[in-house]
Structures are given as C-alpha cells and as structure tokens.
Amino acid sequence: MVKENSHVVIVEDEVIIALDIKQCLEEYGYVVDGIYANTTEALEGIEEHKPDVVLMDIILEGGEEGTQIVGYIQEKLSTPVVYVTSQSEVQTLQKARITKPYGYIIKPVDEQQLHSAI
C-alpha cells in the first residue's frame, strides 16, 4: 500500500491530464518525481527516482505502448504500476491485463478514484 509522502512517477503524454494528476496527487500529500511522455524518458526517470508507484498511460505519443515497459518496471525495479487510460479497445486492454498491473484508472481522472487506486 502506497502512503502519503510516497513518490510517484507519471507516464502520460497529454500534458493537461498529467498536470491535473500531479496536482491531485500533491493535494493528497504524494511527491511527484517526474512526468514523462514516452517510454525511453520514463525508464530513465523511473530508474533514477525509484518511485513507490508508477501511473502509466497505456498508449503514449507516437503510438508507443506503455505496456512494453511495465514488465521490466515490475520485475527488475519492483515498482507497482497503475494504468491510466481512456482506451476501451479490447485488444489494448488484453495487452494491459497480461502485465498484471496493480490497477486501472479511467480518464477523465476522478480524484477519489486516483487516491483509491494508489
């Protein structure tokens, strides 16, 4: 269970959504170590900051899939991942389920849902 003052990394390519999530998290007492828009930057930031949890968009800029790096994040870095998505396409959600995330948050993000998921 992640507690207040825990560190979070946000992997989200939509800036307004990422900033909204950051603001909500900080209001609840979480520390946001970084916001990243693609998997390469995200991995670097996650390895550098070693957060307590990662909020990961399933589809990132350029059609990149956040699911591609979740296995590494969970297994090698032992960091739980919660997906933040607006995707309802069955094939996309099946790929996400395979990675066994700690949870899902549907966009638009509700503050209570965000806090509960973390």
Side-chain angles (χ1 to χ4, degrees), residues 100-116:
K100 298 180 182 172
Y102 279 71
Y104 295 90
I105 300 170
I106 304 298
K107 296 177 196 176
V109 175
D110 174 77
E111 288 183 33
Q112 292 294 340
Q113 182 186 24
L114 177 63
H115 187 59
S116 294

Side-chain angles (χ1 to χ4, degrees), residues 39-110:
T39 57
T40 302
E41 291 175 356
L43 278 178
E44 290 172 5
I46 293 164
E47 288 177 334
E48 176 184 343
H49 296 290
K50 299 188 183 358
D52 299 300
V53 67
V54 174
L55 296 178
M56 173 77 66
D57 191 3
I58 293 176
I59 303 295
L60 298 166
E61 66 182 22
E64 261 191 320
E65 293 184 16
T67 57
Q68 295 172 326
I69 62 170
V70 170
Y72 177 81
I73 294 168
Q74 291 174 329
E75 292 172 25
K76 301 293 184 194
L77 304 175
S78 300
T79 306
V81 174
V82 174
Y83 284 120
V84 180
T85 186
S86 60
Q87 297 295 315
S88 58
E89 187 178 293
V90 174
Q91 185 179 23
T92 302
L93 293 175
Q94 285 176 338
K95 283 182 186 177
R97 272 190 222 117
I98 291 169
T99 65
K100 298 180 182 172
Y102 279 71
Y104 295 90
I105 300 170
I106 304 298
K107 296 177 196 176
V109 175
D110 174 77

Side-chain angles (χ1 to χ4, degrees), residues 1 16 26 57 62:
M1 178 160 139
I16 292 173
E26 290 175 342
D57 191 3

